[in-house]
Amino acid sequence: MAIDLRSDTVTLPSPRMREAMARAEVGDDVFGEDPTVNALEALVAERTGKEAAVFVASGTMGNLSSLLAHAQRGQEVILGDESHIYHYEAGGASALGGLVFHPVATRADGVMPVEGIAAALRPSADWLAPPGVICVENTHNRCSGAVMAPEYIAAAGELARAHGLPVHLDGARLFNASVALGLPLTAWTDHVTSVQVCLSKGLAAPVGSVVAGPRAFVARARRARKMLGGGMRQAGVLAAAGLVALEDMVERLAEDHEHARLLADGLTRLPGVVLDAARVATNIVVFGLAAGLDSAAFVEALGREGVRIIDLGRGRLRAVTHYGITADDCRTALAACERTLARMTTGTPAA
Ligand code: TLP
């Protein structure tokens, strides 16, 4: 079987999740009558220290519902130029919400400096699109799963408050940050208005994310979710897996982080790999290849060796550890990388 390091989204539900899904008590969630969805929403609201929460189909829907709930057509979304919302969410906030993306330069460690955010906040003028919301991401996907320091999020929150703006945290992998630093989610969520957390990444639930924030905001996000077609009726079968994910899978993320470190340390030792292993703090390893080595050809050749990774573009490759990956898988993957690179540098065809 292939060693699939493309993403932690490929994780499969655990046997306990399957059981909970089969047994879940359900009702019509659009009427607010699904007890399992309600339990999941209450639990995430509590863990994030927010008044309320709403279960959504995906991280993308969570972010989009949040942006629609925070900002009006013609307003700007201030966000990192390496952020997931900017790169990988099909421009939904613009296409469906009439919002304008204002990307801010992001450092290699995932931080979009507070001065950069401040400079992006346009003054009031008839000819300028006003800011509507500031977005931050933690952990940072395209920046090697970097963990944002709570102090940084606090500084961004302070700036936003001074300008009367909300902050939305794309916390698709906030649990990874929490496990990496040994801090509760509230270390970050206390400083933002709203947060989206994914259950279907490292936590291995099959489907779903939860958006949390102030009650009035969550009511607007719930309405946006409905507008986007995300009112899911007996969604308790999905929420049940999410509840198990929160119980069984959070502490386990530490293993994924160890495995990512194993991969990163091994990769740095390979000639032809460009990687700052010190950057790897969670379950994502982003690396490049030395000049002259073709990234796309490497991904393809590695795939033929039974190891799957993805190409993020601009010469960046990504490997992600997760529930389905063991330390031995990482060693096997490293050996495959070594063979593939050796062939590429000597121009030897695969046996
Ligand atoms: N990211 C996926 C792909 O879309 C790239 C992945 O494999 O990492 N925020 C962040 C930071 C994410 O990494 C993702 C998923 C999302 C939002 C969107 O979540 P989904 O895929 O559930 O819509």
Side-chain angles (χ1 to χ4, degrees):
M1 223 178 55
I3 296 174
D4 197 344
L5 299 169
R6 286 173 303 165
S7 180
D8 47 11
T9 57
V10 303
T11 43
L12 301 177
S14 67
R16 235 170 73 80
M17 286 181 197
R18 298 266 194 185
E19 268 168 47
M21 292 172 82
R23 277 189 283 102
E25 225 185 295
V26 296
D28 190 329
D29 178 50
V30 175
F31 291 136
E33 292 170 4
D34 189 303
T36 312
V37 171
N38 293 344
L40 174 66
E41 291 176 348
L43 181 61
V44 174
E46 187 198 311
R47 294 259 182 111
T48 56
K50 298 296 179 196
E51 282 176 1
V54 55
F55 181 52
V56 292
S58 65
T60 302
M61 186 181 275
N63 287 333
L64 181 52
S65 305
S66 299
L67 298 188
L68 295 177
H70 279 311
Q72 304 294 318
R73 299 183 74 78
Q75 286 190 320
E76 288 197 334
V77 177
I78 315 295
L79 79 183
D81 63 352
E82 288 291 347
S83 66
H84 192 277
I85 296 177
Y86 187 52
H87 277 267
Y88 299 130
E89 300 190 9
S94 295
L96 306 176
L99 302 176
V100 184
F101 285 133
H102 189 148
V104 173
T106 306
R107 295 195 319 229
D109 63 358
V111 168
M112 137 180 95
V114 175
E115 308 77 65
I117 306 175
L121 301 176
R122 301 183 194 276
S124 169
D126 284 351
W127 52 91
L128 298 176
V133 58
I134 296 169
C135 295
V136 285
E137 183 174 317
N138 188 26
T139 63
H140 200 293
N141 185 340
R142 284 176 57 87
C143 295
S144 227
V147 179
M148 299 302 112
E151 297 73 23
Y152 160 62
I153 303 292
E158 204 172 303
L159 173 76
R161 264 191 310 283
H163 289 263
L165 289 170
V167 179
H168 173 67
L169 169 59
D170 178 357
R173 297 186 181 82
L174 190 60
F175 288 99
N176 293 83
S178 162
V179 167
L181 294 199
L183 293 173
L185 301 186
T186 49
W188 295 274
T189 56
D190 278 354
H191 307 295
V192 300
T193 320
S194 61
V195 59
Q196 178 275 121
V197 292
C198 286
L199 304 166
S200 66
K201 310 251 165 344
L203 300 189
V207 176
S209 286
V210 184
V211 169
R215 207 173 301 286
F217 157 82
V218 170
R220 294 196 300 277
R222 199 178 281 283
R223 187 179 173 78
R225 177 189 73 167
K226 186 73 180 95
M227 221 189 285
L228 297 170
M232 294 188 287
R233 308 297 175 182
Q234 287 73 35
V237 289
L238 301 174
L243 283 165
V244 174
L246 290 176
E247 229 171 79
D248 291 0
M249 295 293 181
V250 176
E251 295 311 317
R252 199 207 54 77
L253 293 172
E255 265 173 46
D256 297 346
H257 299 174
E258 273 168 38
H259 294 162
R261 173 128 306 281
L262 200 160
L263 263 184
D265 289 345
L267 281 169
T268 6
R269 283 196 283 271
L270 297 183
V273 168
V274 180
L275 166 64
D276 181 358
R279 282 223 187 291
V280 177
T282 57
N283 68 328
I284 299 181
V285 183
V286 175
F287 62 101
L289 299 183
L293 293 173
D294 184 72
S295 306
F298 176 71
V299 172
E300 215 190 295
L302 196 60
R304 284 195 296 272
E305 293 266 351
V307 177
R308 308 182 75 182
I309 62 169
I310 59 171
D311 191 345
L312 294 180
R314 297 183 203 153
R316 272 189 280 177
L317 302 169
R318 189 185 76 164
V320 183
T321 54
H322 53 78
Y323 179 47
I325 297 295
T326 63
D328 271 347
D329 289 334
C330 295
R331 289 184 200 103
T332 308
L334 283 169
C337 287
E338 187 168 14
R339 279 195 303 278
T340 304
L341 283 165
R343 273 202 308 274
M344 284 173 72
T345 35
T346 56
T348 322

